[in-house]
Amino acid sequence: MNISIERLCIENGLKMTGPRRVIARVLSEATDHPDVEELHRRANRVDNRISLATVYRTVRLLETKGILSRRDLGSRRARYEPSGDGHHFHLVDKESGKVIEFEAPDVENALRKVAQAHGLEIDVIKIELFGRRPES
């Protein structure tokens, strides 16, 4: 992921405390879409003084500021990714919970044409596909 959450926090005028820096770094380095508990586990590997409550507060703040987006990817817990991370789709393995991000320019263009035919211009495209591997 090429997005620096810490840079976005600073640009949005947020005070960067030690715990926020660690959480921002962990989010920037994430290649998956961690939930708050996973984010807490990862942040604790860097600084074991970071509480789960601090992670929850930080995630809520980053979401409020538009830095993070919450995703419902089929699990009981919300998962997070940087906002404005371009138009991409999510393919979710319902059994393992693994999330695969992919781009599909042809699909995106088709969706834009559909919207245009209805008099709308697309701002954001969010698509999640859920499936499981066929039994062999």
Side-chain angles (χ1 to χ4, degrees):
M1 183 174 304
N2 295 335
I3 295 176
S4 169
I5 301 294
E6 184 175 356
R7 181 181 49 77
L8 293 173
C9 289
I10 293 166
E11 289 173 2
N12 278 275
L14 296 179
K15 180 180 174 188
M16 291 308 292
T17 63
R20 280 188 190 162
R21 284 186 193 284
V22 170
I23 293 165
R25 186 173 352 128
V26 169
L27 283 164
S28 293
E29 293 171 354
T31 57
D32 55 354
H33 300 72
D35 62 29
V36 171
E37 289 186 14
E38 179 59 28
L39 183 55
H40 177 246
R41 275 190 288 280
R42 294 176 191 180
N44 255 231
R45 288 186 210 130
V46 178
D47 181 348
N48 64 2
R49 297 170 295 172
I50 296 173
S51 70
L52 183 57
T54 296
V55 176
Y56 270 105
R57 281 192 305 271
T58 301
V59 165
R60 268 192 303 252
L61 176 63
L62 298 181
E63 190 177 3
T64 300
K65 291 289 188 177
I67 296 168
L68 281 186
S69 292
R70 176 191 311 234
R71 295 282 183 251
D72 176 8
L73 297 174
S75 65
R76 297 183 324 262
R77 298 183 180 125
R79 295 168 75 167
Y80 295 89
E81 69 179 352
S83 297
D85 200 14
H87 297 294
H88 62 271
F89 305 132
H90 297 104
L91 179 60
V92 182
D93 183 325
K94 289 174 64 174
E95 302 205 358
S96 70
K98 181 179 178 183
V99 178
I100 301 165
E101 283 188 359
F102 67 96
E103 294 181 13
D106 293 342
V107 172
E108 184 178 333
N109 290 334
L111 293 172
R112 288 184 187 285
K113 287 179 184 175
V114 168
Q116 186 178 24
H118 292 277
L120 297 174
E121 186 175 306
I122 296 295
D123 291 328
V124 178
I125 298 173
K126 296 180 185 179
I127 296 181
E128 286 94 23
L129 305 169
F130 297 87
R132 61 180 53 88
R133 299 194 185 281
E135 295 182 26
S136 303

